[in-house]
Amino acid sequence: MSFTVGGLFYQETVIAADLYVKNQDWTKVREEIFKTNLFQSRTSTALERVCREVLSRLKLLSIEQLKIIQDGSRQEQLQILWVAVCKRYSFIRDFAVEVIREKFLLMDYSLSEENYTIFFDTKAEWHEELERLKDSTKKKLKQVLFRILREAEITSEANIILPAILTKRVAKALIPKKSDESGIYMVLPVSDTDFKEWIK
C-alpha cells in the first residue's frame, strides 16, 4: 500500500525512464538522480522515498515500455505509467479490472466513491491486513488512488471513465511476453475487440 507516497509521478518517471534507456543500469540511474537532485525534492528523505517508489514501478516494465515513457506522446506515456502502477500494486490492478473495466464494458462511465468502498470492503473480507488499516489510512488510499486515476487520464476530474485509445506502439508493447503479463492491457478502459485490432 505504499502508493500513498504520492501520485503518478509523471515528471519523475519520465526522467528516470530516460536515464535507464540511456544507461541500462538502475544503480547508475539512482546515483544520477541523487547527485543533482533531479526530482527537485525538498529533503533527502523525500527524494529517497519518491525515488524508491518510481524505480520500483519502472523495474517492472520491459525495455519497449520504458522507451515509450522516454519518447512517446503524453497520452502514450500516461498509459504505460498507469500500467506500471497496476503491475506494482495488485490492489490497484484488481480495481482497474474488476471495477473500472467492468463499468466501461457496460457503458457505465461514472465512477463513484461508493464503487471504491464496495470494492475495498469485498477485498477486506479476504485480506485481514486491509481491515486492520486505520481509518485515516483507508481515507488516504482512496484519495491517492482517485488522484492517480485522474493524473493518468483514466478518469476525468469529475470521475468519468475515459475510454483509452491505444496507438499500435503501445498495444504491441502490452502483448504478454510471459505468463504474469497476461491480460495487462485490461487495466486500461479498452475492449478486447479494439485491442485485437490495434495489434494487427
Side-chain angles (χ1 to χ4, degrees), residues 159-173:
N159 294 329
I160 302 301
I161 298 167
L162 304 171
I165 299 173
L166 308 188
T167 60
K168 187 179 288 289
R169 184 186 186 191
V170 168
K172 288 197 168 184

Side-chain angles (χ1 to χ4, degrees), residues 81-95:
L81 260 63
W82 172 245
V83 167
V85 169
C86 290
K87 286 170 76 76
R88 176 73 177 85
Y89 297 104
S90 59
F91 178 84
I92 296 181
R93 177 173 177 160
D94 289 350
F95 185 74

Side-chain angles (χ1 to χ4, degrees), residues 8-21:
L8 192 66
F9 294 120
Y10 172 79
Q11 297 289 355
E12 294 89 346
T13 308
V14 171
I15 289 170
D18 179 60
L19 285 172
Y20 181 77
V21 171

Side-chain angles (χ1 to χ4, degrees), residues 18 46 50 65 91 98 115-116 123-124 153 167 172 193:
D18 179 60
V50 174
Q65 292 163 349
F91 178 84
E98 296 171 19
N115 295 141
Y116 175 85
K123 289 293 178 186
E153 297 181 7
T167 60
K172 288 197 168 184
T193 304

Side-chain angles (χ1 to χ4, degrees), residues 33-34 70 83 97 106 123 129 135-136 138 163 167 200:
I33 290 168
F34 274 81
Q70 178 196 34
V83 167
V97 176
L106 292 170
K123 289 293 178 186
E129 66 274 17
D135 287 343
S136 59
K138 291 178 184 178
T167 60
K200 279 185 179 178

